[in-house]
Amino acid sequence: MAATIKDVARLAGVSQSSVSRALAAPDQVRAATRERVERAVAQLGYEPNRIARGLSTGRTGTIGFLVPDIANPLFAGIVKAAQRRARDFGLAVLLADSDEDPATEIDLIRTLTKQVDGFVLCAPRAGDDELRSVCGDLPVVLLNRRVGQLPSIIFDNADGIRQALAHLAALGHRRVAYVAGPRTSWVNRERLRAVRSGAAGLGLEVVEAGNVSPDFEGGVAVADLVLAAAVTSVIAYNDMIGLGLVSRFGARGVTVPGDVSIIGFDDIPASALVSPALTTVSQPKDQCGRAGIDLLADLLNDRERPGSSRASLPTRLIVRASTGPAPKL
Amino acid sequence: MAATIKDVARLAGVSQSSVSRALAAPDQVRAATRERVERAVAQLGYEPNRIARGLSTGRTGTIGFLVPDIANPLFAGIVKAAQRRARDFGLAVLLADSDEDPATEIDLIRTLTKQVDGFVLCAPRAGDDELRSVCGDLPVVLLNRRVGQLPSIIFDNADGIRQALAHLAALGHRRVAYVAGPRTSWVNRERLRAVRSGAAGLGLEVVEAGNVSPDFEGGVAVADLVLAAAVTSVIAYNDMIGLGLVSRFGARGVTVPGDVSIIGFDDIPASALVSPALTTVSQPKDQCGRAGIDLLADLLNDRERPGSSRASLPTRLIVRASTGPAPKL
DNA sequence: ACAAGATCTGGAACCGATTCCAGAAGCGCT
DNA sequence: AGCGCTTCTGGAATCGGTTCCAGATCTTGT
């Protein structure tokens, strides 16, 4: 059996309260007492029981981290960075994977809500109101999404799209297709908006291709439609769709970037490995995961940093082999 | 404030104990009482506080899940399946990512050990003894590794290697290189052993290429060495190394599979997308994650299934474009 | 209708911490 | 030394459940 605070108190010849204070608020305790406690703690290898502490303080030292799909390298990267950072704060991370399903998102939050101190939520599908209400008054940091005034960290999607459009325009493209991802996705709407508003100024004509599932098959499925639209360039909601496009184009004898240029989003590992390697908008996953935890930790300590509770992280266009000059007509 | 058991007891006009029993052991309580409790529970929307329950029962309903690298698609897949399964059991999953570091593995286990009911560990780097001792007497399921008689679930690496060797032999290869991964990795040792013991019977000569880091760069770095060994085929510790090999071979003007055939391990998404697509040994990630949780859940309920506490899951060779007939000399 | 036995129930102890409160000890000063 | 003030300390309540135990209630057989 592990040593309890009573054992420490007995060994040190002081009361439980003193032990508790010596550990939690060392300056409220006389130096002599503190030392006796410290010695006893060391001797017994005492560590406070987190559960018991949680019961009286109402804090568990655990946070919930929700992602739509941990198998997606973007989220895996974010989680990895977040979990490393959480360690620094002594926070444990409860992982929840919603499988891209809105109902599951809500469900998971609801069940976890009673065992965590706060949430970092990457919940692109759930409705705004539902999301807001289900968290109750727990501290929450949203990732990759804005809902009202809730603290959140997003990637600068608009700027990423702007870079992509500018890149295409500079290569002489006049018509660009945007292949939309899930209709319910906040990020998708954001990117779509950015495409619409950014294209005009660059003299680009936009064709919108229907909402497809954000995976390889989605890209394959929409490829022929894109081709029929007679565009010379495509911006895909994400890399997987982009890779699907590349693949189907190849099968159809359409060369990339000779006939059509393609830009993805996310910079997943595969994008650098395929040929032609995919030009893509990269997002600072590590920074996102870290910042999410930092922000939540601040919230947990009532230390609201007013400025930084709504960060927007810079995105960067990575030019690879899937984009080139527009074909001469 | 959420309703407590006292509120329920008061509303139902019974004692706390009866409420507790009505919920935990309904058959120890008179039907009439049970119904009153149920009604009160429904009316108040009562849900027992898991922390409080944890304090008296010593069970938290949380398990620790350790992986060496959540950004590795193999582990992401395993975690995803595991977390889904855990939901069925009402278990929450504390994720820990050790970054492939032995010391971190131990460290994470140690800190988590006091807040979980048990562990699913994918800890390929920590030493056997240390691993065994750090878990104390908590239920543990090992993944992808065997340590003594501990319950564990592994992939049938040996059979995967066998299939790979047989495939190469059937294509007429006589010399095969095995590119080893991290020296300290249990899986690596296992695969190496299988290569050694399986090659002879098939008339294959084996060349071992030094231990490299299990990533793209590792493959790139070792490629020239492999080439110098004058083999016609390579089995890589994992796909990332395989992809690195393919890339560097391409740069050196060595064609795959014309000059050299390459087989990887893990079947990560990128392997199917690159060209030539990588022949690889695939492992049932979902099954592994699920089985890990199932096994741990059994352990938690003292329901040891003697037979299945040491499962070995079937692996499958997926033949793609990176393997072909041995070149004529 | 009653005794014996089985079944239910409520009170209270307990899990292991934190924290409030009142009283004790320590301090500086005259 | 004695006073008032600050700083420390220990006892006890509390968090929200579970579970032991003894007593109350219900069955059952006669």
Side-chain angles (χ1 to χ4, degrees):
Chain A
M1 275 290 89
T4 76
I5 200 173
K6 266 187 199 156
D7 302 326
V8 178
R10 196 174 317 127
L11 181 57
V14 301
S15 73
Q16 284 187 41
S17 347
S18 296
V19 176
S20 179
R21 270 181 299 242
L23 299 173
D27 48 332
Q28 285 181 32
V29 115
R30 212 169 20 142
T33 315
R34 192 187 324 145
E35 273 167 34
R36 309 183 56 182
V37 170
E38 278 163 4
R39 207 152 346 167
V41 164
Q43 188 175 336
L44 294 172
Y46 168 75
E47 285 197 52
N49 178 320
R50 300 181 72 136
I51 312 282
R53 186 206 300 259
L55 185 56
S56 47
T57 61
R59 307 263 309 251
T60 62
T62 303
I63 62 168
F65 205 112
L66 178 76
V67 293
D69 178 13
I70 188 64
N72 179 326
L74 176 67
F75 301 121
I78 293 175
V79 167
K80 191 179 175 83
Q83 110 93 36
R84 192 194 341 262
R85 189 73 179 131
R87 262 187 93 194
D88 297 340
F89 288 109
L91 291 170
V93 175
L94 272 184
L95 181 73
D97 182 316
S98 67
D99 237 339
E100 303 267 7
D101 181 58
T104 310
E105 284 179 358
I106 297 296
D107 217 54
L108 282 169
I109 298 175
R110 210 189 298 281
T111 61
L112 252 42
T113 212
K114 274 158 314 252
Q115 40 190 327
V116 301
D117 294 344
F119 274 114
V120 178
L121 296 180
C122 198
R125 313 306 254 273
D128 278 20
D129 299 335
E130 216 169 0
L131 201 53
R132 211 194 263 103
S133 76
V134 79
C135 302
D137 37 10
L138 274 165
V140 174
V141 172
L142 258 34
L143 255 36
N144 222 358
R145 164 170 195 172
R146 290 256 136 99
V147 172
Q149 290 302 311
L150 288 180
S152 83
I153 292 169
I154 60 174
F155 297 113
D156 194 340
N157 286 289
D159 189 61
I161 291 288
R162 213 171 298 132
Q163 293 178 53
L165 289 171
H167 174 59
L168 293 176
L171 288 169
H173 293 273
R174 297 271 73 99
R175 277 170 68 81
V176 57
Y178 174 71
V179 176
R183 191 189 311 277
T184 53
S185 151
W186 185 89
V187 170
N188 178 58
R189 290 197 298 271
E190 198 70 358
R191 289 179 191 165
L192 178 56
R193 192 192 339 263
V195 169
R196 282 179 186 156
S197 75
L202 294 162
L204 280 166
E205 200 176 336
V206 174
V207 176
E208 296 174 21
N211 301 86
V212 302
S213 67
D215 48 32
F216 189 82
E217 285 69 33
V220 171
V222 81
D224 298 325
L225 206 68
V226 170
L227 240 38
V231 296
T232 62
S233 61
V234 189
I235 296 179
Y237 166 70
N238 72 3
D239 280 0
M240 285 311 287
I241 294 177
L243 294 175
L245 287 171
V246 170
S247 163
R248 176 64 184 165
F249 285 175
R252 288 277 309 266
V254 176
T255 67
V256 176
D259 299 320
V260 182
S261 288
I262 302 182
I263 300 182
F265 228 106
D266 290 353
D267 190 24
I268 64 176
S271 298
L273 301 173
V274 300
S275 59
L278 195 65
T279 294
T280 187
V281 177
S282 157
Q283 320 182 51
K285 305 187 273 291
D286 288 16
Q287 218 176 319
C288 176
R290 259 185 77 101
I293 298 295
D294 283 344
L295 187 45
L296 184 58
D298 279 352
L299 258 36
L300 289 176
N301 298 324
D302 297 320
R303 216 186 321 115
E304 297 223 28
R305 295 178 302 179
S308 57
S309 87
R310 312 190 81 234
S312 169
L313 305 177
T315 54
R316 196 162 52 87
L317 180 72
I318 299 189
V319 178
R320 298 210 184 93
S322 69
T323 46
K328 308 284 173 228
L329 293 182
Chain B
M1 273 293 87
T4 75
I5 200 172
K6 265 186 200 155
D7 303 325
V8 177
R10 198 174 317 127
L11 180 59
V14 300
S15 73
Q16 283 187 42
S17 350
S18 295
V19 176
S20 180
R21 270 181 299 239
L23 298 173
D27 48 333
Q28 285 181 33
V29 115
R30 213 171 19 143
T33 314
R34 193 188 322 146
E35 273 166 33
R36 311 183 56 182
V37 170
E38 278 163 4
R39 207 151 352 178
V41 164
Q43 189 175 333
L44 295 173
Y46 168 75
E47 285 197 52
N49 178 320
R50 298 180 72 137
I51 313 281
R53 188 208 297 264
L55 186 55
S56 47
T57 61
R59 306 264 308 252
T60 62
T62 302
I63 62 168
F65 206 111
L66 178 76
V67 294
D69 178 14
I70 189 64
N72 179 325
L74 176 67
F75 300 121
I78 293 175
V79 167
K80 191 178 175 81
Q83 110 93 36
R84 190 191 345 260
R85 188 75 179 129
R87 262 188 94 195
D88 299 339
F89 289 108
L91 291 170
V93 175
L94 273 183
L95 181 73
D97 182 316
S98 67
D99 238 338
E100 303 267 8
D101 180 59
T104 309
E105 284 180 359
I106 296 297
D107 218 52
L108 282 169
I109 298 176
R110 210 188 300 279
T111 62
L112 253 41
T113 212
K114 272 154 319 245
Q115 40 189 328
V116 300
D117 294 344
F119 274 115
V120 177
L121 295 180
C122 197
R125 314 305 254 276
D128 278 20
D129 298 334
E130 216 169 358
L131 201 55
R132 210 194 264 103
S133 77
V134 78
C135 300
D137 37 10
L138 275 168
V140 174
V141 172
L142 258 33
L143 255 36
N144 221 359
R145 165 168 194 173
R146 290 257 136 99
V147 173
Q149 290 302 310
L150 288 180
S152 82
I153 292 170
I154 59 174
F155 298 113
D156 195 339
N157 286 291
D159 189 60
I161 291 288
R162 214 170 296 132
Q163 292 178 53
L165 290 171
H167 174 59
L168 292 176
L171 287 170
H173 293 274
R174 297 272 72 100
R175 275 170 69 81
V176 56
Y178 174 72
V179 176
R183 193 189 312 278
T184 53
S185 151
W186 186 89
V187 170
N188 178 58
R189 290 197 298 270
E190 199 69 358
R191 289 180 192 164
L192 178 56
R193 193 193 339 263
V195 169
R196 282 178 186 155
S197 75
L202 294 162
L204 280 165
E205 201 175 336
V206 174
V207 177
E208 297 174 20
N211 300 86
V212 302
S213 67
D215 48 32
F216 189 82
E217 285 70 34
V220 170
V222 80
D224 298 325
L225 206 68
V226 169
L227 239 39
V231 296
T232 63
S233 60
V234 189
I235 296 179
Y237 166 69
N238 72 4
D239 280 1
M240 285 310 288
I241 294 176
L243 294 175
L245 288 170
V246 170
S247 164
R248 176 65 185 163
F249 284 176
R252 288 278 310 267
V254 176
T255 68
V256 176
D259 298 321
V260 181
S261 289
I262 302 183
I263 299 183
F265 227 105
D266 290 353
D267 191 24
I268 65 176
S271 299
L273 300 174
V274 300
S275 59
L278 196 65
T279 294
T280 187
V281 177
S282 157
Q283 319 181 54
K285 304 188 274 290
D286 289 15
Q287 217 176 319
C288 177
R290 259 187 77 101
I293 297 294
D294 283 344
L295 187 45
L296 184 57
D298 281 351
L299 258 35
L300 290 176
N301 298 324
D302 298 321
R303 215 185 322 113
E304 296 224 29
R305 296 178 299 178
S308 57
S309 87
R310 312 190 81 234
S312 169
L313 305 177
T315 54
R316 195 162 52 87
L317 181 71
I318 299 188
V319 177
R320 299 209 184 94
S322 69
T323 45
K328 307 288 171 223
L329 295 184

PDB file of all heavy atoms in Angstrom, chain A residues 131-146:
ATOM      1  N   LEU A 131     -22.392  22.852 -28.928  1.00  0.00           N
ATOM      2  CA  LEU A 131     -21.030  22.836 -28.423  1.00  0.00           C
ATOM      3  C   LEU A 131     -20.911  23.728 -27.196  1.00  0.00           C
ATOM      4  O   LEU A 131     -20.351  23.347 -26.170  1.00  0.00           O
ATOM      5  CB  LEU A 131     -20.107  23.350 -29.525  1.00  0.00           C
ATOM      6  CG  LEU A 131     -18.638  22.977 -29.449  1.00  0.00           C
ATOM      7  CD1 LEU A 131     -18.489  21.480 -29.306  1.00  0.00           C
ATOM      8  CD2 LEU A 131     -17.918  23.469 -30.684  1.00  0.00           C
ATOM      9  N   ARG A 132     -21.453  24.892 -27.291  1.00  0.00           N
ATOM     10  CA  ARG A 132     -21.315  25.848 -26.207  1.00  0.00           C
ATOM     11  C   ARG A 132     -22.029  25.340 -24.959  1.00  0.00           C
ATOM     12  O   ARG A 132     -21.527  25.456 -23.853  1.00  0.00           O
ATOM     13  CB  ARG A 132     -21.878  27.209 -26.627  1.00  0.00           C
ATOM     14  CG  ARG A 132     -21.157  28.362 -25.953  1.00  0.00           C
ATOM     15  CD  ARG A 132     -21.901  29.659 -26.075  1.00  0.00           C
ATOM     16  NE  ARG A 132     -21.447  30.503 -27.162  1.00  0.00           N
ATOM     17  CZ  ARG A 132     -22.086  30.644 -28.319  1.00  0.00           C
ATOM     18  NH1 ARG A 132     -23.206  29.975 -28.549  1.00  0.00           N
ATOM     19  NH2 ARG A 132     -21.632  31.435 -29.238  1.00  0.00           N
ATOM     20  N   SER A 133     -23.180  24.759 -25.182  1.00  0.00           N
ATOM     21  CA  SER A 133     -23.970  24.356 -24.021  1.00  0.00           C
ATOM     22  C   SER A 133     -23.422  23.092 -23.359  1.00  0.00           C
ATOM     23  O   SER A 133     -23.478  22.950 -22.151  1.00  0.00           O
ATOM     24  CB  SER A 133     -25.433  24.137 -24.418  1.00  0.00           C
ATOM     25  OG  SER A 133     -25.569  22.907 -25.093  1.00  0.00           O
ATOM     26  N   VAL A 134     -22.894  22.189 -24.151  1.00  0.00           N
ATOM     27  CA  VAL A 134     -22.490  20.912 -23.593  1.00  0.00           C
ATOM     28  C   VAL A 134     -21.273  21.040 -22.676  1.00  0.00           C
ATOM     29  O   VAL A 134     -21.067  20.226 -21.789  1.00  0.00           O
ATOM     30  CB  VAL A 134     -22.216  19.877 -24.708  1.00  0.00           C
ATOM     31  CG1 VAL A 134     -20.850  20.120 -25.323  1.00  0.00           C
ATOM     32  CG2 VAL A 134     -22.318  18.476 -24.180  1.00  0.00           C
ATOM     33  N   CYS A 135     -20.486  22.068 -22.896  1.00  0.00           N
ATOM     34  CA  CYS A 135     -19.291  22.236 -22.071  1.00  0.00           C
ATOM     35  C   CYS A 135     -19.625  22.815 -20.709  1.00  0.00           C
ATOM     36  O   CYS A 135     -18.781  22.861 -19.826  1.00  0.00           O
ATOM     37  CB  CYS A 135     -18.300  23.161 -22.754  1.00  0.00           C
ATOM     38  SG  CYS A 135     -17.803  22.584 -24.354  1.00  0.00           S
ATOM     39  N   GLY A 136     -20.847  23.272 -20.566  1.00  0.00           N
ATOM     40  CA  GLY A 136     -21.206  23.873 -19.296  1.00  0.00           C
ATOM     41  C   GLY A 136     -20.299  25.055 -19.030  1.00  0.00           C
ATOM     42  O   GLY A 136     -20.039  25.844 -19.920  1.00  0.00           O
ATOM     43  N   ASP A 137     -19.769  25.130 -17.829  1.00  0.00           N
ATOM     44  CA  ASP A 137     -18.906  26.260 -17.523  1.00  0.00           C
ATOM     45  C   ASP A 137     -17.458  25.818 -17.366  1.00  0.00           C
ATOM     46  O   ASP A 137     -16.652  26.513 -16.766  1.00  0.00           O
ATOM     47  CB  ASP A 137     -19.403  26.985 -16.280  1.00  0.00           C
ATOM     48  CG  ASP A 137     -19.938  25.991 -15.272  1.00  0.00           C
ATOM     49  OD1 ASP A 137     -19.732  24.787 -15.491  1.00  0.00           O
ATOM     50  OD2 ASP A 137     -20.545  26.409 -14.280  1.00  0.00           O
ATOM     51  N   LEU A 138     -17.154  24.670 -17.908  1.00  0.00           N
ATOM     52  CA  LEU A 138     -15.772  24.221 -17.888  1.00  0.00           C
ATOM     53  C   LEU A 138     -14.936  25.081 -18.824  1.00  0.00           C
ATOM     54  O   LEU A 138     -15.413  25.494 -19.873  1.00  0.00           O
ATOM     55  CB  LEU A 138     -15.690  22.766 -18.346  1.00  0.00           C
ATOM     56  CG  LEU A 138     -15.907  21.698 -17.295  1.00  0.00           C
ATOM     57  CD1 LEU A 138     -16.151  20.356 -17.951  1.00  0.00           C
ATOM     58  CD2 LEU A 138     -14.702  21.600 -16.412  1.00  0.00           C
ATOM     59  N   PRO A 139     -13.698  25.329 -18.436  1.00  0.00           N
ATOM     60  CA  PRO A 139     -12.798  26.024 -19.345  1.00  0.00           C
ATOM     61  C   PRO A 139     -12.621  25.206 -20.631  1.00  0.00           C
ATOM     62  O   PRO A 139     -12.440  23.991 -20.581  1.00  0.00           O
ATOM     63  CB  PRO A 139     -11.475  26.075 -18.574  1.00  0.00           C
ATOM     64  CG  PRO A 139     -11.835  25.870 -17.152  1.00  0.00           C
ATOM     65  CD  PRO A 139     -13.068  25.033 -17.151  1.00  0.00           C
ATOM     66  N   VAL A 140     -12.711  25.881 -21.741  1.00  0.00           N
ATOM     67  CA  VAL A 140     -12.597  25.187 -23.029  1.00  0.00           C
ATOM     68  C   VAL A 140     -11.722  25.999 -23.970  1.00  0.00           C
ATOM     69  O   VAL A 140     -11.818  27.220 -24.024  1.00  0.00           O
ATOM     70  CB  VAL A 140     -13.973  25.025 -23.684  1.00  0.00           C
ATOM     71  CG1 VAL A 140     -13.842  24.443 -25.077  1.00  0.00           C
ATOM     72  CG2 VAL A 140     -14.863  24.152 -22.842  1.00  0.00           C
ATOM     73  N   VAL A 141     -10.879  25.306 -24.675  1.00  0.00           N
ATOM     74  CA  VAL A 141     -10.152  25.934 -25.768  1.00  0.00           C
ATOM     75  C   VAL A 141     -10.539  25.218 -27.049  1.00  0.00           C
ATOM     76  O   VAL A 141     -10.464  23.991 -27.122  1.00  0.00           O
ATOM     77  CB  VAL A 141      -8.629  25.830 -25.559  1.00  0.00           C
ATOM     78  CG1 VAL A 141      -7.895  26.312 -26.804  1.00  0.00           C
ATOM     79  CG2 VAL A 141      -8.197  26.622 -24.344  1.00  0.00           C
ATOM     80  N   LEU A 142     -10.974  25.990 -28.006  1.00  0.00           N
ATOM     81  CA  LEU A 142     -11.333  25.410 -29.294  1.00  0.00           C
ATOM     82  C   LEU A 142     -10.129  25.424 -30.217  1.00  0.00           C
ATOM     83  O   LEU A 142      -9.339  26.363 -30.198  1.00  0.00           O
ATOM     84  CB  LEU A 142     -12.448  26.243 -29.925  1.00  0.00           C
ATOM     85  CG  LEU A 142     -13.866  25.704 -29.840  1.00  0.00           C
ATOM     86  CD1 LEU A 142     -14.108  24.957 -28.561  1.00  0.00           C
ATOM     87  CD2 LEU A 142     -14.861  26.836 -30.000  1.00  0.00           C
ATOM     88  N   LEU A 143     -10.039  24.384 -31.007  1.00  0.00           N
ATOM     89  CA  LEU A 143      -8.964  24.342 -31.978  1.00  0.00           C
ATOM     90  C   LEU A 143      -9.559  24.373 -33.367  1.00  0.00           C
ATOM     91  O   LEU A 143     -10.531  23.665 -33.648  1.00  0.00           O
ATOM     92  CB  LEU A 143      -8.163  23.043 -31.807  1.00  0.00           C
ATOM     93  CG  LEU A 143      -6.791  23.126 -31.141  1.00  0.00           C
ATOM     94  CD1 LEU A 143      -6.747  24.150 -30.046  1.00  0.00           C
ATOM     95  CD2 LEU A 143      -6.372  21.769 -30.643  1.00  0.00           C
ATOM     96  N   ASN A 144      -8.943  25.183 -34.207  1.00  0.00           N
ATOM     97  CA  ASN A 144      -9.326  25.117 -35.613  1.00  0.00           C
ATOM     98  C   ASN A 144     -10.765  25.523 -35.846  1.00  0.00           C
ATOM     99  O   ASN A 144     -11.417  25.019 -36.758  1.00  0.00           O
ATOM    100  CB  ASN A 144      -9.118  23.665 -36.092  1.00  0.00           C
ATOM    101  CG  ASN A 144      -8.494  23.626 -37.469  1.00  0.00           C
ATOM    102  OD1 ASN A 144      -8.245  24.654 -38.075  1.00  0.00           O
ATOM    103  ND2 ASN A 144      -8.250  22.440 -37.963  1.00  0.00           N
ATOM    104  N   ARG A 145     -11.248  26.405 -35.033  1.00  0.00           N
ATOM    105  CA  ARG A 145     -12.654  26.788 -35.126  1.00  0.00           C
ATOM    106  C   ARG A 145     -12.958  27.938 -34.181  1.00  0.00           C
ATOM    107  O   ARG A 145     -12.393  28.016 -33.106  1.00  0.00           O
ATOM    108  CB  ARG A 145     -13.504  25.578 -34.736  1.00  0.00           C
ATOM    109  CG  ARG A 145     -14.925  25.906 -34.427  1.00  0.00           C
ATOM    110  CD  ARG A 145     -15.735  24.654 -34.299  1.00  0.00           C
ATOM    111  NE  ARG A 145     -17.148  24.967 -34.352  1.00  0.00           N
ATOM    112  CZ  ARG A 145     -18.104  24.068 -34.425  1.00  0.00           C
ATOM    113  NH1 ARG A 145     -17.782  22.798 -34.459  1.00  0.00           N
ATOM    114  NH2 ARG A 145     -19.347  24.421 -34.487  1.00  0.00           N
ATOM    115  N   ARG A 146     -13.858  28.801 -34.601  1.00  0.00           N
ATOM    116  CA  ARG A 146     -14.284  29.895 -33.738  1.00  0.00           C
ATOM    117  C   ARG A 146     -15.751  29.721 -33.429  1.00  0.00           C
ATOM    118  O   ARG A 146     -16.546  29.442 -34.327  1.00  0.00           O
ATOM    119  CB  ARG A 146     -14.097  31.258 -34.452  1.00  0.00           C
ATOM    120  CG  ARG A 146     -12.650  31.668 -34.626  1.00  0.00           C
ATOM    121  CD  ARG A 146     -12.262  32.752 -33.614  1.00  0.00           C
ATOM    122  NE  ARG A 146     -10.969  32.488 -33.020  1.00  0.00           N
ATOM    123  CZ  ARG A 146      -9.815  33.045 -33.396  1.00  0.00           C
ATOM    124  NH1 ARG A 146      -9.790  33.915 -34.369  1.00  0.00           N
ATOM    125  NH2 ARG A 146      -8.707  32.734 -32.785  1.00  0.00           N
TER     126      ARG A 146
END
